[in-house]
Each structure stands twice: as structure tokens, then as C-alpha cells.
């Protein structure tokens, strides 16, 4: 308490402000520094690696303190935000020179992860979303805003799983929730998604900028948007004039994939690194503009199911692909189109500098050229395949008359306004130019007068204009007009009355000119801000052209084909399809293309083949073809006929899936459950080795039961891969099931994978061959071969014994005449049972060896 009593007025003010922003680092402005105190200081010093000092060092309780210079604060703020924090900027809002006592301070802006607009803080080709979530009854309402582009959208879903998948797709950097949200939901979001949560409640006084428009917003949507915008207002402290009209979307209007499927397919990020590199997006993204890159990302997160739009996109890609030179022209034009969405945001918020406006001018300057190219593309088709861009020449002219060519970034140092635009500015500039002339003349006159040929007139920011001569010259120099100004080690500087007058004129003109330039620039910026909405539309038109041209180039370079959309569900025909990433990795020559034929009367494909033969690869490439088709791109195949798929369920293991312990059997079963329950006849199911994660017998039992369920209940297009080649017998009982397998042959006892998909069932599983490839000891391999032969000769017996032992029905229908079992010793029987129960896929070589040794011991 004693400390409080002694608290200085400044610390009292600090505490008062800090209390309003408990969850943010408070950057408290003191002179040229932002200072932090107490806990903020302790934490920030660590994160920013800056020196921790203290205030009132001599007092009993010194206050921990650290600070950053205000001119380099940006970098520090960025680092705090990146490590998941908020920063509240507290400025002096009165001029200290005019104030007696404490200067008034206020928080002028709060910077949070989800509300960044600074160009340097954002990924160019990524959106940065702030989302708001509310739950009303059973329904979740979700709104997402990218403050840097002005995009706002809302959706709703009654299903938590769908909500989570959508959150994974949006990858928001911050979420606003009010106290009405269930704590359980909040906790789950915290644990699973690790999104930065900001709690905020609407009060009656909360001011909301009501620029947003959503036709027929429901009361729930309205309160959600209110929450989002009120929160934004509370931290930005200014109305946001650049927000686009709110878009409502339904999750069912897009190809549905949950986040498990997306992450297993590595659509937008690599499983291993979590980064874009290595993902499908990375592979196909060669867009030229930032907004094109963001749009492609959005398309890939949400492929379409709308046949009309897809047909149009395919047609556009085809046309761009065939019109080679036009496409190159178009792509070249996009090189000079800047990030219009974010530019417009900065212009509207008044933070754009002169270089930004120049970038806008250059971008707009491309429009006539782009439109000529589009005209050409349309003319050769005799139809309007590509809608022209609005021409914006009025705005272009406006900018071009005002803004100088190649202006500097700074808006306070002049040279940003074109000469001839403003009379008064031109006069100042004349004065400046003349001033330079006058200075040159003055220098000449003084040289003549004094006879000192090296005397010169110079300028220095601190001392202003001066006449300089060497120390030697000044030693014998005596002229009452010359007033000594500054002494250097080898020179002497003077001023004269005449020079002083010139200085006043020149510097006055300079200052007035820069002030005027700044004012004219702000006026220009405001004038451009009036075009915000139209420019945002332009940005999205250019973005989609960029993506389509990118599809065309990709398809040409990688030899993709235009898919034909077929109306009938469950009717797929891919001729010589390829895995787009693997073929790039190993080269076109090494990759073996495969057909994929699935027809409505036999929609259930059972895919067998040894480990490492290419089952997972095949299933992935099918998924990629379907997805690429449904974002409007061509597909990696020689020819393709594809239906529009409404949902994709995948359970595709990465090659190191099991060993890395990434997927537990439980997760696998949960995903299977979702797929079986939610698939429709238009869905595509890709099940890779379901049941592999548990012991052989119950894994196989589950796999068989799932196949029955798929055949009888689900009836969606399905590829089901398994290494249990015993399951292939099911085709005799399930007419909708067709066997296919990946070919492998043996050459001189070595297995050779052909990676070729063939009709029919695989004849064996080649497990021991794979073990051989992996380099297991020769003696072990020989022994396992012997055990296998023994097992195979007893297999019928084994199959019968196991289920009967616990009185269950037989898993596999056995021939009516059962072979009479060999009589075995009890220890032999034990060993065989142990062997049968082994899950070879889960064993390390060492475990296998030890196991074998133990079995051998038992038999001795
Ligand atoms: P499986 O799922 O059957 O165990 P994968 O699909 O994981 O096998 O493939 C194993 C490896 O085989 C891949 O990493 C790849 O190098 C190679 N492979 C798979 N399919 C092909 C193909 N069509 N052409 C060439 N190599 C392939
Ligand atoms: Mg596999």
C-alpha cells in the first residue's frame, strides 16, 4: 500500500490505461520511446531480447521496465504479434510543450494477430482471417473477415465437425467470442486449433460502423456481425470504409472434405512440415498476382459442385491454353499488377504512401492492354467467354495528372506531385530552382571578390547554408561581411547577410512545397478511396483471370487434359492418369500412368497389392483428379470423364503413417464412421488399408464387414485398398465389388513392382519379398519362407479353428468338405497361433527376430 501511496502521477496514468487492456502489451509513449512496465516488461524483454531495466532503482520496489525506440517499433510489434500477442499503442494526445502537468495519453490502436494490415506483416498469397463465432440453439454461426482485403463472409452449421473443418480451412489467426459461447466449445477450439481467442461482449454503448450490407440478414447473423465489427472498431479505433459487402455461403454448396481428408491429401500444406511447400497448392500455384494466389488457395479449399461454373472455367482454360501468345501476353501484363485488394485497403484507411498509389496507377495502366487481349480471345470463339474489365481510365488519368513519375515512398519529403499540376507548388519549385541558380551566382561573385578560387557555398541540415574556405585561406582572410559560423579541422565556414536572406527564401519555399505536396497527396488518396468498391471488384476479376491463365499454363506444361463432365453419378474414366506431385519428383519417364475405371453397376473397387506397390499413390491421384476437375483445372491424365462429386472421404495413409504413430486406430475408425454415415451416392470414398492398425484377425473382420456395408448400404463410388488379399474372394458374393490389383512379378526371387493397376485380385502379398528388399538377415528370410509354407498348407485349418474357438460364425465360408486337420502337438499349435496373430506391419526387424527365436525355443 505504501508503494501505491507514493505512486507518481505518471504511473497512476499508466495503471489506469493498462487496466483497460489487460491482455495486450501496453506500449506507453515516453518521448522517443515506447516503454513497458511490470509484467509486460518482464515478458517483452524475453521475447524481444531487449534489456530489462527498472524505474525508481533506489526505491524498495523498483518497477521493471523496458523500451523500444518509436521509429523502429514496427519490427518489435511484428515480433510480439507473431508470437501470439496483442499490442496496445498508447500515444501522447496533447503537445507536451503546451501542457502543464501530466500529458494526456490514450490508446490509439490495438494490434492483434487477426487484424493486421501492414504489408510487411502479412503473407502475400495468404488471407489473414479474424473470425467470430456464436452459437444459438444447435447452430453455430461463423463470420470471417480479412481486414487487409476487406472481405467478409458468414456461414452456419449445426455440426461441430463441420465447423471445425471450416475453421481448419480458414486458418484464422484470431477468433472473437462473447461470453455466451459454451466453454466446452471454447476449450476444444483452444486445444485442437490453437487459435488466438479474444473475448469481447457487446454493450449498449458499443458503436458499430454499419457499412456492412447483407441482404435479409437473420437476427443471428446480425448479432454475429455486430460482435465482429464492434470488436474491430474497439481495436482499430476508426471506421473501416473498405469493407466489402458481406457474402453468405453454405458449406453444402461446395465439395465437402473434412480437414482429415484435406490434410492427408496435403492440399494446401505438407503433412510433414505444415508449410505450403510440398502441397498440391504449391505444385499448381504459379499465379502472378497476390490476389490470384489467394483466390487459388480459396478455390482449392472449396472446390465447386456447380456444373455451369465448372464447364465455363474448363472452356476458359481450354481457350487460354490454345491461344498461346495471348496467354503469354496476359501473364506478362499480370506481372505489373500489384496487390490491388491490399492497396485499396491502405488507400481507404489513409496509410497508403506515394509508391502505393504509383503501383495502383501501373496496375490500372494494364487494363486497356488486358482488355485488348480478352477481346482477341473472345473474337476467335465468337462468344463472350471472358468478360472485359471496367476501364478505369478516368481514375488512371486522375492519378497520372497528380502523381509524379516514380515517386519516393515517403510522403513528407516532396517530389511526389507532378509539376504543372498545381500553380502554387510550381511557384515554390521555381523559387527553389532559382534559388540554386542564385546560390551558384553568389558563389561566383564571392570567388571573384575574394580571389579565392576554391571558396564554395554549401548546405548542412543543422547549420543551414554557409560559405566554406580552407583553414589556410581563412588565416589571412579579413572581411567584415563574413561572419564565422563553424570551424572544422581543415576548413572554416561563414555566413553573410546576403546568403542568410537567400536561405530564408529557399528553405521557406522548400517547407511550403513539401507541406503542400503532402496535402495534395492526401486529397488524391481520398479521391481514390471513393473507388474502393469498384477496385475490389476489379481485383477479384483479375484474380480469377490470373488463376485461369495459371491453370492453362500448368495444363500445357504438365500435359493435363480437359475433363468431360458426366451427369451420371459413380461413373469415372481416367485414362493414363498420373500423380501430379510424384511424377514431378521422379520424372515423367519413371512414373507409370494408370487407368481408373469405375462404373455405376460396380462402384466398389477392392484394390490389392503388396506393400510399396503403389496403392496409396493411386488413390491419391484419383482424389487429385477429382479435386482439380472441380476447381476448374484440367487433370493429369490422357483423357478424363468425371462426374461431379459432392463429398470426398479419404483415409489414405502416408507412407510413414503407422510408424510415425500419426494415426491411431481410433481416429481411423472415427473417420470411417463419418464416411459411412455421411456418404451419398454422389460421394467418393477412398479407404486405404482400413483395419491395418489393429490385430490381423479383427482388422480383417472389420474390413470385410465395412465392405459389406459399403456394398449394401452406402453404394457410393469407393476404392478400398487392402493387403489382406483373402478379401478378394468377396467378389463372388458381392456383385457390386470388382477386384483390381497392383501388378508385381518375381524375377530370380526378387519382387519387382510394376506400379501398374490390373484387373482381378493379387495372387499373394509379397510381404517376405518386401522384407528382403528392406535388407533383413538372410537366415531370417529363409526361415520365414518355411513358416509361410507351413502356414499356407494349414491355412484352411487355421481359419476354421480361430472363429470356432469362441463359438462365432465363420469369417470365411469354408468348403463343405473340410480337410482333416493335421494332428499337432500342443506347443506347435501354440506357436502357430502366435504366428497367425502377428501383425507384421507393426513389427520392427528386431522384434521379428526376437519373436522368431522365442518360437523356435518353444518347439525345441
Ligand atoms: P503402397 O500404398 O502400395 O504401399 P505407395 O503408394 O505408398 O505404395 O507407393 C510406394 C512407392 O512406390 C512410392 O513412394 C513411389 O516411389 C512408388 N510408386 C507408386 N506408384 C507409382 C507409379 N505409378 N509409378 C512409379 N512409381 C510409383
Ligand atoms: Mg499405402
Amino acid at each position: 500500500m505504501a508503494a501505491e501511496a507514493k505512486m507518481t502521477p505518471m504511473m497512476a496514468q499508466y495503471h489506469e490505461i493498462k487496466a483497460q487492456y489487460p491482455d495486450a502489451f501496453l506500449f506507453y509513449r515516453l518521448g522517443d520511446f515506447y516503454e513497458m512496465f511490470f509484467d509486460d516488461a518482464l515478458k517483452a524483454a524475453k521475447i524481444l531480447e531487449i534489456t530489462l531495466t527498472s524505474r525508481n532503482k533506489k526505491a524498495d520496489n523498483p518497477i521493471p521496465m523496458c523500451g523500444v525506440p518509436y521509429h523502429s517499433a514496427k519490427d518489435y510489434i511484428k515480433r510480439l504479434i507473431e508470437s501470439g500477442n496483442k499490442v496496445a499503442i498508447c500515444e501522447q494526445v496533447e503537445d507536451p510543450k503546451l501542457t502543464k502537468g501530466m500529458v494526456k495519453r490514450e490508446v490509439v490502436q490495438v494490434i492483434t494477430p487477426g487484424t493486421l494490415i501492414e504489408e510487411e506483416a502479412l503473407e502475400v498469397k495468404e488471407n489473414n482471417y479474424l473470425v467470430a463465432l456464436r452459437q444459438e440453439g444447435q447452430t453455430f454461426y461463423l463470420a470471417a473477415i480479412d481486414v487487409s482485403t476487406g472481405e467478409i463472409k458468414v456461414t452456419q452449421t449445426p455440426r461441430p465437425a463441420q465447423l471445425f473443418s471450416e475453421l481448419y480451412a480458414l486458418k484464422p489467426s484470431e477468433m472473437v467470442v462473447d461470453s455466451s459461447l459454451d466453454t466446452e466449445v471454447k476449450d476444444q477450439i483452444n486445444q485442437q486449433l490453437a487459435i488466438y481467442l479474444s473475448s469481447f461482449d457487446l454493450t449498449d454503448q458499443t458503436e458499430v460502423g454499419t457499412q456492412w450490407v447483407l441482404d435479409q440478414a437473420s437476427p443471428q447473423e446480425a448479432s454475429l456481425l455486430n460482435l465482429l465489427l464492434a470488436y474491430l472498431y474497439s481495436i482499430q479505433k476508426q471506421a473501416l470504409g473498405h469493407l466489402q459487402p458481406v457474402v453468405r455461403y453454405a458449406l453444402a454448396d461446395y465439395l465437402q472434405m473434412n480437414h482429415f481428408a484435406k490434410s492427408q491429401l496435403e492440399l494446401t500444406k505438407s503433412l510433414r512440415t505444415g508449410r505450403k511447400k510440398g502441397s498440391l497448392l504449391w505444385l499448381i500455384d504459379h499465379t502472378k498476382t497476390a490476389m490470384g494466389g489467394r483466390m487459388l488457395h480459396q478455390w482449392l479449399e472449396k472446390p465447386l459442385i456447380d456444373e455451369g461454373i465448372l464447364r465455363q472455367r474448363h472452356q476458359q482454360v481450354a481457350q487460354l491454353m490454345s491461344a498461346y501468345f495471348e496467354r503469354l501476353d496476359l501473364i506478362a501484363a499480370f506481372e505489373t499488377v500489384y496487390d490491388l485488394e491490399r492497396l485499396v485497403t491502405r488507400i481507404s484507411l489513409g496509410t497508403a504512401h506515394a509508391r502505393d498509389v504509383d503501383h495502383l496507377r501501373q496496375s490500372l495502366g494494364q487494363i486497356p492492354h488486358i482488355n485488348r487481349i480478352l477481346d482477341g480471345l473472345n473474337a476467335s470463339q465468337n462468344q463472350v467467354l471472358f468478360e472485359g474489365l471496367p476501364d478505369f481510365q478516368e481514375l488512371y488519368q486522375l492519378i497520372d495528372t497528380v502523381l509524379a513519375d516514380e515517386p519516393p515512398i515517403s510522403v513528407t519529403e516532396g517530389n511526389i506531385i507532378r509539376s504543372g499540376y498545381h500553380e502554387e507548388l510550381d511557384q515554390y519549385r521555381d523559387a527553389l530552382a532559382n534559388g540554386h541558380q542564385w546560390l551558384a551566382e553568389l558563389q561566383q561573385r564571392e570567388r571573384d571578390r575574394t580571389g579565392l578560387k576554391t571558396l564554395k557555398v554549401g548546405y548542412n541540415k543543422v547549420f543551414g547554408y554557409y560559405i566554406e574556405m580552407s583553414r589556410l585561406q581563412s588565416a589571412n582572410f579579413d572581411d567584415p561581411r563574413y561572419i564565422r559560423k563553424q570551424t572544422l579541422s581543415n576548413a572554416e565556414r561563414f555566413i553573410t547577410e546576403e546568403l542568410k536572406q537567400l536561405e530564408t527564401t529557399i528553405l521557406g519555399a522548400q517547407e511550403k512545397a513539401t507541406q503542400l505536396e503532402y496535402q495534395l497527396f492526401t486529397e488524391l488518396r481520398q479521391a481514390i478511396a471513393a473507388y474502393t468498391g469498384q477496385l475490389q471488384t476489379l481485383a477479384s476479376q483479375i484474380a480469377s483471370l490470373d488463376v485461369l491463365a495459371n491453370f492453362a499454363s500448368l495444363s500445357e506444361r504438365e500435359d493435363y487434359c480437359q475433363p468431360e463432365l458426366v451427369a451420371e453419378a459413380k461413373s469415372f474414366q481416367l485414362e493414363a492418369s498420373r500423380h501430379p506431385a510424384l511424377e514431378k519428383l521422379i520424372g515423367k519417364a519413371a512414373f507409370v500412368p494408370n487407368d481408373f475405371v469405375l462404373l455405376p453397376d460396380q462402384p466398389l473397387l477392392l484394390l490389392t497389392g503388396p506393400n510399396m506397390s503403389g496403392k496409396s499413390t493411386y488413390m491419391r491421384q484419383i482424389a487429385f483428379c477429382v479435386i482439380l476437375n472441380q476447381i476448374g483445372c484440367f487433370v493429369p491424365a490422357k483423357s478424363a470423364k468425371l462426374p461431379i462429386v459432392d463429398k470426398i472421404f479419404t483415409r489414405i495413409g502416408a507412407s510413414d503413417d503407422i510408424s510415425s504413430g500419426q494415426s491411431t486406430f481410433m481416429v481411423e475408425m472415427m473417420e470411417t464412421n463419418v464416411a459411412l454415415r455421411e456418404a451419398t451416392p454422389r460421394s467418393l470414398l477412398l479407404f486405404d488399408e482400413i483395419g491395418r492398425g489393429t490385430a490381423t484377425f479383427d482388422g480383417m473382420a472389420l474390413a470385410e464387414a465395412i465392405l459389406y456395408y459399403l456394398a449394401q448400404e452406402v453404394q457410393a463410388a469407393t476404392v478400398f485398398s487392402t493387403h489382406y488379399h483373402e478379401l478378394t474372394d468377396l467378389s463372388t458374393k458381392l456383385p457390386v465389388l470388382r477386384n483390381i490389383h497392383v501388378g508385381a512379378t518375381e524375377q530370380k526371387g526378387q519382387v519387382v513392382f510394376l506400379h501398374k493397376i490390373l484387373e482381378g485380385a493379387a495372387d499373394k502379398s509379397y510381404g517376405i519379398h518386401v522384407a528382403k528388399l528392406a535388407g533383413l538377415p538372410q537366415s531370417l528370410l529363409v526361415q520365414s519362407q518355411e513358416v509361410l509354407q507351413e502356414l499356407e498348407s494349414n491355412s484352411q485349418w487355421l481359419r476354421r479353428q480361430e472363429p470356432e474357438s469362441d463359438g462365432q460364425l465363420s469369417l470365411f465360408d469354408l468348403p463343405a468338405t473340410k480337410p482333416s486337420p493335421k494332428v499337432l502337438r500342443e506347443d506347435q499349435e501354440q506357436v502357430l497361433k502366435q504366428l497367425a496373430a502377428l501383425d507384421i506391419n507393426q513389427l520392427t526387424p528386431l522384434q521379428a527376430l526376437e519373436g522368431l527365436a522365442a518360437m523356435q525355443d518353444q518347439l525345441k
Side-chain angles (χ1 to χ4, degrees):
M1 280 299 102
E4 292 225 340
K6 276 190 284 180
M7 191 153 59
T8 61
M10 194 190 88
M11 285 325 285
Q13 184 192 48
Y14 172 83
H15 281 295
E16 193 190 319
I17 299 174
K18 174 68 196 177
Q20 298 164 38
Y21 299 92
D23 61 346
F25 282 96
L26 186 68
F27 272 39
Y28 184 85
R29 181 70 180 266
L30 260 181
D32 281 347
F33 278 79
Y34 288 117
E35 301 288 2
M36 283 164 276
F37 301 107
F38 301 103
D39 268 4
D40 281 2
L42 295 172
K43 284 192 235 151
K46 246 191 221 143
I47 300 175
L48 301 175
E49 294 168 345
I50 52 178
T51 318
L52 185 69
T53 60
S54 55
R55 202 175 169 81
N56 297 344
K57 283 197 184 71
K58 293 191 190 105
D60 299 342
N61 294 315
I63 299 169
M65 170 175 116
C66 67
V68 300
Y70 91 98
H71 58 81
S72 60
K74 257 189 188 173
D75 286 340
Y76 292 107
I77 294 171
K78 188 178 165 211
R79 271 157 69 190
L80 286 173
I81 302 293
E82 273 170 0
S83 47
N85 296 287
K86 289 185 185 179
V87 174
I89 309 289
C90 177
E91 294 287 0
Q92 300 170 341
V93 291
E94 287 174 332
D95 190 339
K97 285 178 214 141
L98 309 175
T99 323
K100 273 191 224 135
M102 275 305 295
V103 184
K104 211 171 138 200
R105 287 186 177 81
E106 263 172 29
V107 169
V108 294
Q109 195 193 358
V110 184
I111 300 159
T112 76
T115 56
L116 295 173
I117 39 175
E118 295 282 342
E119 202 178 4
E120 314 89 69
L122 294 165
E123 282 286 336
V124 173
K125 285 186 169 184
E126 297 288 328
N127 278 110
N128 185 44
Y129 288 114
L130 164 73
V131 297
L133 178 67
R134 297 195 83 221
Q135 189 179 5
E136 303 241 1
Q138 289 305 303
T139 310
F140 294 102
Y141 291 85
L142 182 70
I145 181 168
D146 182 339
V147 185
S148 71
T149 64
E151 175 198 13
I152 316 184
K153 46 194 180 186
V154 294
T155 192
Q156 63 187 73
T157 172
R159 296 179 26 224
Q162 206 167 34
L163 170 72
F164 272 67
S165 286
E166 188 56 13
L167 287 173
Y168 270 102
L170 291 168
K171 220 175 67 184
S173 26
E174 187 178 353
M175 176 186 278
V176 199
V177 293
D178 62 14
S179 38
S180 75
L181 190 71
D182 204 291
T183 37
E184 206 176 306
V185 178
K186 241 187 257 184
D187 289 347
Q188 256 184 319
I189 289 170
N190 241 336
Q191 284 162 15
Q192 293 189 23
L193 293 152
I195 302 174
Y196 187 100
L197 276 187
S198 293
S199 299
F200 185 79
D201 277 288
L202 284 172
T203 59
D204 293 342
Q205 290 91 46
T206 318
E207 251 182 83
V208 177
T210 46
Q211 321 90 326
W212 55 275
V213 210
L214 174 59
D215 286 337
Q216 302 150 344
S218 66
Q220 293 89 341
E221 286 167 338
S223 48
L224 176 73
L225 288 165
N226 267 329
L227 175 70
L228 181 72
L229 293 167
Y231 171 75
L232 256 186
Y233 187 79
S234 80
I235 61 171
Q236 293 278 347
K237 311 272 179 196
Q238 64 171 322
L240 300 176
H242 72 294
L243 300 187
Q244 303 187 28
V246 181
V247 174
R248 178 196 285 129
Y249 66 105
L251 296 170
D253 288 346
Y254 299 91
L255 169 62
Q256 293 176 59
M257 283 179 278
N258 64 21
H259 70 269
F260 288 118
K262 286 179 181 172
S263 69
Q264 282 171 23
L265 289 171
E266 304 185 293
L267 287 192
T268 57
K269 56 184 187 223
S270 140
L271 260 181
R272 209 166 41 81
T273 62
R275 296 182 170 275
K276 177 174 168 183
K277 189 165 182 205
S279 68
L280 181 67
L281 176 61
W282 173 75
L283 193 76
I284 65 171
D285 181 8
H286 301 277
T287 51
K288 295 295 168 201
T289 66
M291 58 262 187
R294 291 192 295 267
M295 184 171 274
L296 176 56
H297 191 155
Q298 293 193 11
W299 285 10
L300 202 53
E301 287 288 357
K302 286 207 168 48
L304 298 176
I305 53 172
D306 184 312
E307 189 185 326
I309 303 178
L310 286 176
R311 274 188 198 288
Q312 190 189 5
R313 282 192 195 165
H314 288 153
Q315 235 182 322
Q316 289 172 320
V317 174
Q319 170 66 353
L320 283 165
M321 202 165 148
S322 63
Y324 178 79
F325 292 107
E326 284 88 342
R327 168 159 45 92
L328 288 199
D329 266 2
L330 199 58
I331 290 171
F334 293 148
E335 302 266 12
T336 326
V337 175
Y338 290 84
D339 192 344
L340 291 175
E341 280 180 316
R342 287 182 174 161
L343 267 177
V344 167
T345 298
R346 290 198 295 276
I347 288 171
S348 169
L349 297 182
T351 57
H353 46 62
R355 191 77 58 81
D356 282 335
V357 177
D358 181 42
H359 286 169
L360 175 62
R361 169 173 57 192
Q362 291 185 43
S363 308
L364 296 179
Q366 295 298 326
I367 292 179
H369 182 48
I370 294 174
N371 276 339
R372 271 195 301 279
I373 303 170
L374 296 181
D375 281 347
L377 287 167
N378 288 332
S380 65
Q381 289 281 300
N382 269 325
Q383 60 163 322
V384 183
L385 201 48
F386 299 94
E387 212 178 306
L389 307 175
D391 88 343
F392 278 104
Q393 288 319 290
E394 186 191 35
L395 179 58
Y396 178 86
Q397 285 307 335
L398 171 66
I399 299 173
D400 204 43
T401 10
V402 182
L403 196 71
D405 294 331
E406 298 177 33
I409 288 186
S410 168
V411 290
T412 52
E413 284 168 26
N415 298 323
I416 45 181
I417 304 295
R418 197 182 280 293
S419 55
Y421 169 65
H422 199 271
E423 205 173 324
E424 192 183 333
L425 178 63
D426 289 346
Q427 283 168 4
Y428 294 135
R429 283 181 172 161
D430 276 352
L432 275 171
N434 288 337
H436 290 127
Q437 181 61 31
W438 298 330
L439 287 169
E441 285 165 12
L442 182 139
Q443 177 173 290
Q444 194 52 51
R445 268 200 311 278
E446 294 300 324
R447 280 181 181 175
D448 294 347
R449 252 189 221 176
T450 58
L452 301 173
K453 294 278 170 265
T454 54
L455 173 149
K456 64 176 190 233
V457 174
Y459 175 75
N460 156 315
K461 262 194 181 166
V462 183
F463 294 98
Y465 287 98
Y466 54 77
I467 301 171
E468 185 178 289
M469 62 184 78
S470 71
R471 288 290 289 273
L472 204 65
Q473 291 169 332
S474 72
N476 307 318
F477 184 76
D478 185 25
D479 184 334
R481 290 181 306 120
Y482 276 59
I483 305 150
R484 203 171 293 265
K485 200 170 179 185
Q486 193 189 4
T487 305
L488 305 178
S489 59
N490 52 5
E492 204 69 52
R493 288 174 177 176
F494 301 89
I495 183 103
T496 63
E497 200 49 48
E498 191 188 359
L499 184 57
K500 207 168 200 152
Q501 270 173 18
L502 258 181
E503 181 181 83
T504 315
T505 319
I506 294 172
L507 294 186
Q510 181 90 58
E511 195 182 315
K512 282 183 196 136
T514 40
Q515 264 176 16
L516 183 55
E517 287 206 54
Y518 179 69
Q519 184 200 328
L520 294 172
F521 176 73
T522 340
E523 282 167 17
L524 173 65
R525 202 164 55 190
Q526 276 163 10
I528 303 170
Y531 291 83
T532 297
Q534 296 164 55
L535 286 169
Q536 285 164 336
T537 311
L538 172 74
S540 100
Q541 266 180 289
I542 292 182
S544 75
L545 281 173
D546 187 13
V547 178
L548 293 168
N550 170 55
F551 284 171
S553 298
L554 173 79
S555 302
E556 182 188 64
R557 198 172 52 242
E558 303 296 336
D559 200 15
Y560 290 5
C561 76
Q562 177 171 3
E564 183 186 321
L565 297 178
V566 295
E568 196 172 17
K570 296 185 255 190
S571 175
F572 299 74
Q573 289 186 54
L574 296 173
E575 183 191 354
S577 69
R578 289 119 49 200
H579 186 294
L582 185 58
E583 85 167 338
K584 271 210 96 74
L585 195 71
I586 65 175
K588 273 206 161 66
F591 189 87
V592 181
N594 276 305
D595 295 345
F596 171 57
V597 179
L598 184 145
L599 297 169
D601 55 343
Q602 275 191 319
L604 183 51
L605 296 190
L606 184 62
L607 169 60
T608 41
N611 266 329
M612 291 300 286
S613 60
K615 300 184 295 299
S616 302
T617 305
Y618 183 59
M619 298 176 96
R620 271 168 207 274
Q621 80 193 37
I622 294 167
F624 286 151
C625 286
V626 167
I627 291 166
L628 287 172
N629 174 40
Q630 288 183 231
I631 62 175
C633 187
F634 287 6
V635 302
K638 201 164 160 208
S639 75
K641 289 184 183 169
L642 293 168
I644 291 178
V645 167
D646 67 349
K647 305 174 186 177
I648 298 180
F649 298 94
T650 57
R651 188 38 244 180
I652 301 185
S655 43
D656 59 348
D657 197 28
I658 301 230
S659 56
S660 67
Q662 290 250 322
S663 113
T664 63
F665 183 62
M666 180 65 185
V667 174
E668 181 175 296
M669 286 298 111
M670 276 160 46
E671 289 170 34
T672 308
N673 179 40
V674 172
L676 294 179
R677 286 171 190 275
E678 293 178 9
T680 76
R682 292 211 77 94
S683 304
L684 174 66
L685 279 63
L686 300 167
F687 282 154
D688 196 10
E689 313 231 21
I690 294 286
R692 174 162 123 167
T694 180
T696 307
F697 271 27
D698 67 348
M700 200 156 39
L702 267 169
E704 178 167 332
I706 290 170
L707 280 166
Y708 264 97
Y709 194 86
L710 284 167
Q712 290 164 352
E713 307 287 332
V714 180
Q715 297 176 352
T718 306
V719 184
F720 190 109
S721 84
T722 183
H723 68 283
Y724 302 130
H725 64 269
E726 294 87 342
L727 291 176
T728 54
D729 294 349
L730 283 175
S731 64
T732 56
K733 267 163 281 164
L734 299 173
V736 295
L737 183 147
R738 196 175 107 224
N739 279 309
I740 52 174
H741 71 282
V742 202
T745 55
E746 266 178 87
Q747 283 172 9
K748 296 181 197 143
Q750 291 273 4
V751 62
V752 177
F753 296 135
L754 305 173
H755 304 305
K756 193 82 200 162
I757 303 289
L758 303 166
E759 288 298 312
D763 50 356
K764 49 176 158 177
S765 56
Y766 294 97
I768 297 173
H769 298 83
V770 176
K772 189 173 180 177
L773 283 183
L776 263 65
Q778 185 60 26
S779 59
L780 181 150
L781 293 170
V782 170
Q783 192 170 11
S784 64
Q785 193 62 47
E786 284 166 20
V787 178
L788 178 68
Q789 269 156 16
E790 175 86 7
L791 275 174
E792 278 176 348
S793 65
N794 286 310
S795 64
Q796 296 290 30
W797 176 84
L798 261 177
R799 284 181 176 190
R800 195 169 53 88
Q801 285 293 307
E802 175 79 13
E804 273 181 5
S805 60
D806 51 343
Q808 298 275 310
L809 277 177
S810 170
L811 251 186
F812 303 92
D813 280 354
L814 294 170
T817 50
K818 297 166 189 169
S820 58
K822 249 195 207 169
V823 183
L824 290 175
R825 296 199 318 263
E826 201 178 324
D827 54 347
Q828 290 175 328
E829 202 171 299
Q830 275 291 324
V831 169
L832 280 178
K833 275 195 179 159
Q834 284 172 22
L835 251 183
L838 275 186
D839 184 353
I840 304 221
N841 287 307
Q842 301 274 32
L843 286 183
T844 67
L846 198 62
Q847 284 169 338
L849 256 181
E850 283 169 349
L852 271 176
M855 288 179 200
Q856 205 175 37
D857 277 353
Q858 283 188 55
L859 293 176
K860 273 179 188 162

